[in-house]
Amino acid sequence: MRSFRYQLVLQGIAVGALASLVSVLYRIVIEEAGVFMNWMLSLGRQSLGWAAFWFLLLAAAAFAVAKLVEYEPMISGSGIPQVEGELHGLFNPRWLRVIAAKFIGGAIAIGAGLSLGREGPSIQLGAMAGKGFSKKMGRGRTEEKMLITCGAGAGLAAAFNAPFAGVLFTLEEMHKNFSVDVMLSTMTACVTSDFISRNVFGLDPVFTFHNVQKLPLYHYWMILLLGVILGAAGAFYNFCIAKSQQFYGKVKWKNTFVKMLLPFFAAGVLGFTLPQVLGGGHQLVGAISGYQFGLGMLAVILAVKFLFSMLSFGSGAPGGIFLPLLVIGALIGGCFGMVVLPLAGLDAGYLQNFVMLAMAGYFSAIVRAPITGIILINEMTGSFTELLSISVVSLTAYIVADLLKSVPVYDQLLARLIKQNGGAASGDVSDTAKLLFELPVYRGAAAEGAKIKDIPWPKDCLIVSIRRQEKEIIPNGSAQLMGGDMLTVLCSEQSAYFIREEIIQTCQQYGGNPHA
């Protein structure tokens, strides 16, 4: 295991470099496409002919994206659920085909102004770069999945200049447990990716806030109130994401092209009426903090941005929700700050605090990865002065969304993909290939204190090792599990996801432990 770990670290550097190169090029192309879009919109405002020509280009763009989605369905949406599904053994897409189609389709969709982000596609592109590296190096499926994880984290690091958020996202969201092997290899990949990205885009953070003041502790009631609002708003966002996909699923579209026309034409109309809502919305964050909009206008932008995001993502166009949801969170924070700051008699400069807080809290409520959200916002803003307040709002929003029984957005999207696939693994997934995966035993779970032979394990799986701290134990029937043990499970790749879910019920669900 130690030798395997060192090999993964070295391979993580190579995968990080490859993922970064793909993600950086993708980011550059999107930025240039955005410049072209703004140029065309400026011409369209001067001449009706140029405006008509822009709508023709949007129709052509919708047609191209539709054909790419039909050619490779795995590029639809953000790409994160597809990567998670592959890590669970559910999908086995063709890596080069996904990279080509996702790169082109995502660049066209985001460049045309759809309210989509670059981070989801960057994660999928990085993951497929890792898979391609694994294939070329002749690695097994277990090692391949580790390298896919490295590429996914590196893609996020390059998209947002946030290497630690890339590491935490893979642990907290994709694997949903802490693994030393995943952490070390992904960290080397993310740091390598971030180094390359910063050499291209510079050392400045993604969002720039000036002279951030620390919010006084006796005003933390406002943070708790904001957390409650964000938790409810995050639950509503996840509900609307599901409904937007149902809407596109129920309407009898003649083909994918007709479905794509709706968000692309909406982007054309909004480009001439409310261009602030186009694309991911990166520029909006600075505009909110700088008081460039009044409360009424901010509320209008919030409502339109939200609806346009649902329309864009529900269509299945290639693009992520990370950046748009952060911007929507910033808009909520801006509206909240403009209301409470005068009432509390606080300086207007604290508005940027609420913008930062709302981005983190909204992310935590929607994705349900609060640690990632806390670190992501701190890295993206280049400021750790509000670490305590960001932690408070993130945890509050997380708890409220959980109490409302809101399903985390990527779990929801993955479940939908599985349902569309008939509730089984993809036909491309081998039913003979074997896969190893790790799962921890939580303290208080039913398996803690129980013997291996007394636990009702799923059929067709084998517990091949138990790692207890630095000691590796070869299990037998009388071996007793302890909280904190890391189990290595062997099963077929086709049944890995369902076996994993069944073992989680025994090893990670609290309560009902007779040995506690």
Side-chain angles (χ1 to χ4, degrees):
M1 288 298 297
R2 192 178 298 275
S3 174
F4 177 66
R5 184 177 298 167
Y6 293 151
Q7 289 178 26
L8 281 175
V9 168
L10 294 174
Q11 292 175 56
I13 296 173
V15 170
L18 289 173
S20 181
L21 291 174
V22 175
S23 299
V24 164
L25 182 59
Y26 182 68
R27 186 171 165 182
I28 291 172
V29 171
I30 287 175
E31 289 179 355
E32 292 302 318
V35 172
F36 175 75
M37 176 191 70
N38 290 327
W39 178 64
M40 287 300 302
L41 289 174
S42 65
L43 291 176
R45 294 186 187 100
Q46 300 170 19
S47 166
L48 189 60
W50 279 111
F53 180 65
W54 176 237
F55 276 96
L56 286 175
L57 287 181
L58 288 174
F63 179 79
V65 170
K67 289 301 178 184
L68 286 168
V69 171
E70 290 174 355
Y71 168 72
E72 179 50 71
M74 292 298 285
I75 70 167
S76 177
S78 74
I80 293 175
Q82 290 89 328
V83 175
E84 290 185 1
E86 179 160 16
L87 292 176
H88 293 318
L90 290 169
F91 312 126
N92 187 20
R94 285 165 282 191
W95 64 273
L96 187 57
R97 182 164 159 164
V98 170
I99 288 178
K102 188 78 171 191
F103 191 105
I104 298 171
I108 293 174
I110 300 173
L114 271 65
S115 184
L116 300 169
R118 64 175 181 258
E119 72 304 314
S122 295
I123 289 172
Q124 189 177 21
L125 290 170
M128 292 301 98
K131 183 174 183 176
F133 176 83
S134 175
K135 293 292 187 187
K136 295 301 182 182
M137 299 297 290
R139 304 303 179 190
R141 284 294 283 166
T142 299
E143 193 169 352
E144 180 177 293
K145 292 182 187 302
M146 299 288 280
L147 296 176
I148 288 173
T149 303
C150 291
L156 178 58
F160 282 155
N161 290 351
F164 291 107
V167 176
L168 288 171
F169 185 77
T170 60
L171 294 170
E172 192 175 20
E173 171 58 31
M174 292 189 164
H175 285 264
K176 290 183 169 55
N177 65 69
F178 182 87
S179 167
V180 175
D181 297 327
V182 174
M183 183 193 71
L184 289 177
S185 56
T186 306
M187 183 172 287
T188 57
C190 289
V191 171
T192 302
S193 175
D194 186 54
F195 177 80
I196 295 173
S197 175
R198 289 180 186 273
N199 271 278
V200 176
F201 298 108
L203 297 174
D204 292 335
V206 175
F207 298 123
T208 303
F209 292 90
H210 301 286
N211 303 318
V212 178
Q213 308 173 64
K214 292 184 180 180
L215 192 69
L217 291 174
Y218 53 84
H219 282 301
Y220 267 47
W221 64 268
M222 292 189 291
I223 296 177
L224 293 173
L225 177 58
L226 178 60
V228 172
I229 294 171
L230 292 169
F236 181 68
Y237 181 95
N238 288 350
F239 171 80
C240 291
I241 281 285
K243 290 300 179 182
S244 70
Q245 292 184 313
Q246 290 174 18
F247 164 73
Y248 277 101
K250 287 180 180 179
V251 178
K252 303 300 182 182
W253 308 99
K254 293 182 179 179
N255 51 49
T256 310
F257 168 56
V258 177
K259 182 168 65 173
M260 289 294 173
L261 273 177
L262 186 57
F264 275 85
F265 270 27
V269 173
L270 290 170
F272 294 112
T273 57
L274 195 65
Q276 294 88 346
V277 302
L278 295 181
H282 172 269
Q283 302 299 326
L284 263 178
V285 176
I288 299 166
S289 302
Y291 279 92
Q292 294 183 21
F293 306 108
L295 179 59
M297 186 61 182
L298 210 58
V300 170
I301 293 174
L302 170 60
V304 176
K305 180 67 174 176
F306 184 91
L307 292 172
F308 185 39
S309 296
M310 296 300 124
L311 192 67
S312 298
F313 188 78
S315 69
I321 61 173
F322 246 61
L323 187 55
L325 77 83
L326 290 177
V327 172
I328 293 171
L331 288 164
I332 295 173
C335 292
F336 180 85
M338 286 185 179
V339 172
V340 300
L341 286 177
L343 295 177
L346 287 174
D347 184 84
Y350 283 109
L351 182 65
Q352 58 186 351
N353 294 64
F354 288 108
V355 170
M356 292 171 57
L357 292 171
M359 286 194 291
Y362 201 53
F363 176 91
S364 297
I366 292 170
V367 182
R368 299 287 247 298
I371 300 175
T372 301
I374 292 166
I375 298 302
L376 176 66
I377 299 305
N378 280 284
E379 285 191 296
M380 290 179 70
T381 59
S383 171
F384 284 81
T385 58
E386 286 297 305
L387 183 59
L388 175 60
S389 57
I390 287 177
S391 300
V392 170
V393 77
S394 296
L395 292 173
T396 304
Y398 178 97
I399 292 169
V400 170
D402 193 58
L403 288 172
L404 292 172
K405 295 180 170 48
S406 171
V407 180
V409 67
Y410 292 121
D411 290 356
Q412 172 183 301
L413 295 173
L414 177 58
R416 182 179 176 83
L417 279 175
I418 296 171
K419 184 178 180 180
Q420 289 175 342
N421 205 44
S426 166
D428 293 333
V429 176
S430 171
D431 59 355
T432 58
K434 298 299 180 183
L435 181 68
L436 288 169
F437 64 86
E438 290 185 326
L439 275 178
V441 177
Y442 288 0
R443 289 180 173 82
E448 185 187 16
K451 294 181 179 180
I452 292 285
K453 63 181 180 182
D454 297 329
I455 298 174
W457 301 105
K459 293 181 180 180
D460 304 320
C461 79
L462 177 67
I463 310 301
V464 297
S465 76
I466 303 170
R467 191 163 75 248
R468 187 170 294 161
Q469 296 177 351
E470 289 298 316
K471 183 179 180 181
E472 189 170 4
I473 302 169
I474 304 301
N476 54 47
S478 60
Q480 191 175 42
L481 296 180
M482 296 175 59
D485 284 350
M486 184 67 75
L487 306 180
T488 302
V489 183
L490 176 69
C491 63
S492 71
E493 183 180 13
Q494 192 173 56
S495 59
Y497 174 79
F498 307 100
I499 287 175
R500 179 190 181 95
E501 291 299 301
E502 193 171 338
I503 293 177
I504 284 175
Q505 299 297 317
T506 304
C507 295
Q508 296 186 5
Q509 295 295 325
Y510 292 102
N513 177 12
H515 306 280

